[in-house]
């Protein structure tokens, strides 16, 4: 008998948080107030100039395919953005506009990863990152990391874990779920190590811009021989528009172009036109205000969680997450999250969505809701813990 | 040394027509009038009600992720559409909204095809269809077909070519490039043959609605145990919006859901809201007018090409293509297309974009331009041939 389900579907995990979300919706339907701190999506609306640019394009009625690599003027603007914000020069031929960072991962790994080949990545990490590897029948070798390396892979990790089956290394900075960024020195050393080994370096930079101290370095500051994955979703507030970008090493341009033609045709046209407005000065000013608000939220939540008794091994630098150790209260963080939702209507994400590295002792709080709402959540959380 | 490019990138062909398009743009930049008969995209604008629904949603500014499987109300409307137009009942749980038919192929094959497994498909066929198989490191076994089976795979083909490595069969109806539809009997027999063999049946129905005689049957009329790929791009005139759908057999629902969460997060939100308006009566009435216009174009082009001396082994039933035999004029249809473009500014697609089956004797004409423009193209074509 033919086994009809593809083998890769067994390795790919569902998001455990979906069960929580499902239950949260049921509770909401019953009239219960749920505070959502599980959501990896900014609560701010898309900037007005971006929305207006989208509407303006739709009004032409002319929503045809763009070229597979994206609108030339958008690729140009992305290149200019790198020049202005990072002082790096990126040939726009290396830039591909994609259906979100998801599309960028599909192209980057599609162009470079064979079945059975391994990528090294940190544990904890965002589950999709390892699942993309499995999507191509590759192996995600997740390496336990902790606060001593800012939850990031270092050159030492890479040297230690590199085998004949290793194809490359994925670094995500700021990290989801820990919010930590890789330091410039760490990043430079990691890239040079991978380049010496002859592998591929993938830099997931989708939370760039959402940092509240030092800026996160881009891999492009240290080498052109890297894949960089980024998106308009997070900092630019364009989640539902599904538009991101991928930068590839020169030798991958032709293969990436072929793949993009075949697996996407093109990214949504109106989303691309809208994204052109994301780089306007007035939009960037608005986004900087939001960043300040996220920074204030981080500080509020960080202090509140410490006060309630969570351990946070390292203060997060960016994204909108705090990965908190709850071992003082439980050895089963998933059950903890379920019980917290049931008892107090606060939704958070269990550690096991991010790997196996002490996952039962961690939960992720997203500060994608207002400080006022988070303040109520903290009261509820405290009550829940004191009862337990 | 590590071979960094993934092996799959070697098997995936670029679109040869892209070179023609590139040259066409150069010629246009020089002021030359080019008649585009190479483009697989309706020349009509998106229906007004759809555009307005998109704008209405954008005005809310609330363009957040939808659930991975798509807006529940859109899945519901798609289900209702099947009931009304095909009299088949499709549980909306089996319906996934996707970023175009491209996304539907990624999910369907991602959920079912392992590396080295084979899919049977017709030659000629749309190049992406075989390239999707290669994207998953599978093998596209293309089977030469001709007018005797309406350029479609039959149960006899399937039985003859099925091996231990075969995972399933892909049928595209109406076909690109031939425009032929599979008859209900052919389709039923093909599906039953595959079901008996225990494999997967994939039905590419993206040109449904664009038929000018008999309606094309959906695979769902004969079995629930099929994958159906469809899209809002062609009949509904929504190419650049990137929204399509996939229907899966019940046993694939969970795996497809997991994959969709991981490789897309979701389809563009405003595109999904816009697509809700695609099923309104007024929109459907507008689309039926367009269909009549496409039908008239088909008849015009079919007769004109025969008159000029092309052979068309079977009159196409749908889509917006005519696959014409040019062996009377050349044994190199690619060069023929290049020369025609250079000499007369008429752009068409060479047969080799669609496979190896006598591809050097065929070219594809798309009637995605007005009859007036096609009339000029036919004069130019005749002049070109008479010179040659």
């Amino acid at each position: 008998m033919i086994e009809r389900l593809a083998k890769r579907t067994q390795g790919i995990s569902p998001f455990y948080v979906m069960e929580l979300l499902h239950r949260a919706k049921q509770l909401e339907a019953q009239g219960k107030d749920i505070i959502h701190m599980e959501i990896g999506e900014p609560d701010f609306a898309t900037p007005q100039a971006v929305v207006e640019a989208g509407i303006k394009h739709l009004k032409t009625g002319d929503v045809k395919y763009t070229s597979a690599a994206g609108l030339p003027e958008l690729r140009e603007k992305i290149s200019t953005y790198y020049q202005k914000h990072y002082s790096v020069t990126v040939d726009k031929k290396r830039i591909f506009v994609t259906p979100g960072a998801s599309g960028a991962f599909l192209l980057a790994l599609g162009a470079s990863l064979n079945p059975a080949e391994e990528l090294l990545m940190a544990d904890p990490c965002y589950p999709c990152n390892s699942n993309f590897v499995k999507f191509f029948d590759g192996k995600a070798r997740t390496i336990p990391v902790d606060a001593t390396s800012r939850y990031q892979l270092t050159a030492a990790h890479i040297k230690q874990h590199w085998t004949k089956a290793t194809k490359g290394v994925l670094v995500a900075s700021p990290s989801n779920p820990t919010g930590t960024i890789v330091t410039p020195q760490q990043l430079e050393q990691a890239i040079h190590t991978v380049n010496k080994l002859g592998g591929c370096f993938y830099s997931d930079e989708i939370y760039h811009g959402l940092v509240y101290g030092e800026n996160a370095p881009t891999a492009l500051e240290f080498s052109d021989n890297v894949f960089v994955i980024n998106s308009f979703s997070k900092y630019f507030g364009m989640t539902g528009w599904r538009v991101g970008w991928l930068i590839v090493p020169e030798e991958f341009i032709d293969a990436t172009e072929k793949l993009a033609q075949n697996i996407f045709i093109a990214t949504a046209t109106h989303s691309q036109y809208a994204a052109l407005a994301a780089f306007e000065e007035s939009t960037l000013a608005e986004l900087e205000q939001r960043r300040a608000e996220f920074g204030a939220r981080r500080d509020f939540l960080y202090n509140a969680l410490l006060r309630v008794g969570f351990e946070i091994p390292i203060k997060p630098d960016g994204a909108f997450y705090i990965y908190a150790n709850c071992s003082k209260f439980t050895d089963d963080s998933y059950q903890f999250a379920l019980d917290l939702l049931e008892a107090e209507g606060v939704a958070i994400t269990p550690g096991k969505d991010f790997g196996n590295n002490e996952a039962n002792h961690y939960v992720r709080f997203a500060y994608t809701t207002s400080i006022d709402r988070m303040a109520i959540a903290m009261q509820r959380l405290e009550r829940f813990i004191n009862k337990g």
Side-chain angles (χ1 to χ4, degrees), chain A residues 287-312:
Chain A
L287 296 175
E288 284 303 295
Q289 281 179 4
R290 294 176 180 197
R291 164 152 82 160
E293 166 66 16
F294 274 125
R297 291 180 185 179
R298 178 202 57 175
D299 292 340
F300 171 84
L301 183 62
Y302 178 73
N303 293 325
L305 289 174
L306 289 179
R307 195 176 46 74
V308 175
F310 287 85
E311 282 171 41
I312 304 166

Side-chain angles (χ1 to χ4, degrees), chain A residues 233-294:
Chain A
S233 293
K234 311 295 184 178
Y235 175 64
F236 295 100
M238 292 182 66
T239 49
W241 301 74
R242 310 312 296 123
V243 51
W245 70 86
L246 170 68
I247 297 167
V248 302
E250 181 120 12
E251 65 173 300
F252 283 90
I253 292 174
D254 291 346
T256 306
E257 172 93 29
K258 275 198 303 190
L259 289 186
Q261 287 173 5
N262 278 286
I263 71 167
F264 302 140
I265 304 182
T267 298
T269 303
H270 45 335
S271 294
Q272 293 192 61
Y273 276 99
L276 287 171
F279 297 112
E280 282 173 14
E281 283 310 318
S282 60
T283 308
L284 293 171
E286 191 177 339
L287 296 175
E288 284 303 295
Q289 281 179 4
R290 294 176 180 197
R291 164 152 82 160
E293 166 66 16
F294 274 125

Side-chain angles (χ1 to χ4, degrees), chain A residues 19-35:
Chain A
E19 270 184 61
L20 273 133
L21 252 176
H22 181 69
R23 181 64 186 142
K25 277 186 187 163
Q26 286 180 335
L27 292 170
E28 277 174 332
Q30 292 166 19
K32 191 148 183 181
D33 174 54
I34 305 294
I35 302 178

Side-chain angles (χ1 to χ4, degrees), chain A residues 78-355:
Chain A
I78 292 169
S79 176
T80 306
Y81 186 74
Y82 278 96
Q83 194 70 59
K84 270 195 190 162
H85 286 257
Y86 300 99
S87 302
V88 296
T89 303
V90 186
D91 187 337
K92 68 179 179 189
K93 279 186 214 145
R94 291 172 55 207
I95 301 171
F96 289 81
V97 179
T98 56
S102 306
F105 270 105
L106 284 176
L107 285 186
L109 298 188
S112 61
L113 190 72
N114 292 308
E117 289 180 343
E118 293 183 355
L119 285 203
L120 307 183
M121 54 183 68
D123 180 352
C125 77
Y126 181 53
C128 290
N129 292 7
S130 52
N131 286 337
F132 275 116
V133 174
K134 293 170 193 163
F135 190 67
F136 292 101
D137 299 290
K139 287 186 188 153
R141 279 272 308 277
T142 56
I143 299 167
V145 290
D146 59 25
T148 60
S149 70
R150 313 180 62 77
Y151 286 103
Q152 294 286 354
L153 289 191
T154 62
H157 286 122
I158 295 166
K159 285 176 198 158
Q160 190 193 333
H161 293 276
W162 194 277
T163 71
K164 277 195 174 170
T166 311
K167 185 62 168 277
V169 171
L170 172 69
V171 165
S173 162
S175 151
N176 175 5
T178 66
T180 52
I181 64 176
V182 66
T183 67
Q185 293 82 351
Q186 274 182 323
L187 185 56
E188 181 168 24
Q189 287 167 11
I191 292 171
H192 286 180
T193 302
V194 173
N195 280 347
K196 259 195 200 162
L197 290 160
C200 296
F201 192 89
Y202 310 86
S203 187
D204 171 355
E205 305 186 352
I206 70 167
Y207 289 101
H208 268 225
L210 291 174
V211 287
Y212 316 114
E214 298 285 301
N215 274 331
T218 172
L220 295 160
E221 292 171 35
F222 307 110
S223 175
D224 283 324
N225 190 23
V226 291
F227 290 89
V228 170
I229 291 112
N230 207 330
S231 164
F232 289 96
S233 293
K234 311 295 184 178
Y235 175 64
F236 295 100
M238 292 182 66
T239 49
W241 301 74
R242 310 312 296 123
V243 51
W245 70 86
L246 170 68
I247 297 167
V248 302
E250 181 120 12
E251 65 173 300
F252 283 90
I253 292 174
D254 291 346
T256 306
E257 172 93 29
K258 275 198 303 190
L259 289 186
Q261 287 173 5
N262 278 286
I263 71 167
F264 302 140
I265 304 182
T267 298
T269 303
H270 45 335
S271 294
Q272 293 192 61
Y273 276 99
L276 287 171
F279 297 112
E280 282 173 14
E281 283 310 318
S282 60
T283 308
L284 293 171
E286 191 177 339
L287 296 175
E288 284 303 295
Q289 281 179 4
R290 294 176 180 197
R291 164 152 82 160
E293 166 66 16
F294 274 125
R297 291 180 185 179
R298 178 202 57 175
D299 292 340
F300 171 84
L301 183 62
Y302 178 73
N303 293 325
L305 289 174
L306 289 179
R307 195 176 46 74
V308 175
F310 287 85
E311 282 171 41
I312 304 166
I314 183 169
K315 187 172 180 179
D317 308 291
F320 30 62
Y321 307 114
I322 293 182
Y323 201 54
N325 186 317
C326 54
S327 60
K328 209 189 272 183
F329 319 121
T330 181
D331 280 322
D332 183 349
S333 60
Y334 184 50
Q335 194 60 50
F336 181 84
L338 288 172
D339 293 345
L340 175 63
L341 174 64
E342 209 63 46
E344 295 288 353
V346 176
I348 57 177
T349 305
K352 73 174 178 171
D353 261 338
F354 306 103

Side-chain angles (χ1 to χ4, degrees), chain A residues 151 313 323-326 333 349-351 357-364:
Chain A
Y151 286 103
Y323 201 54
N325 186 317
C326 54
S333 60
T349 305
N357 176 16
E358 267 204 86
N360 60 318
H361 284 155
Y362 281 86
V363 287
R364 187 193 75 176

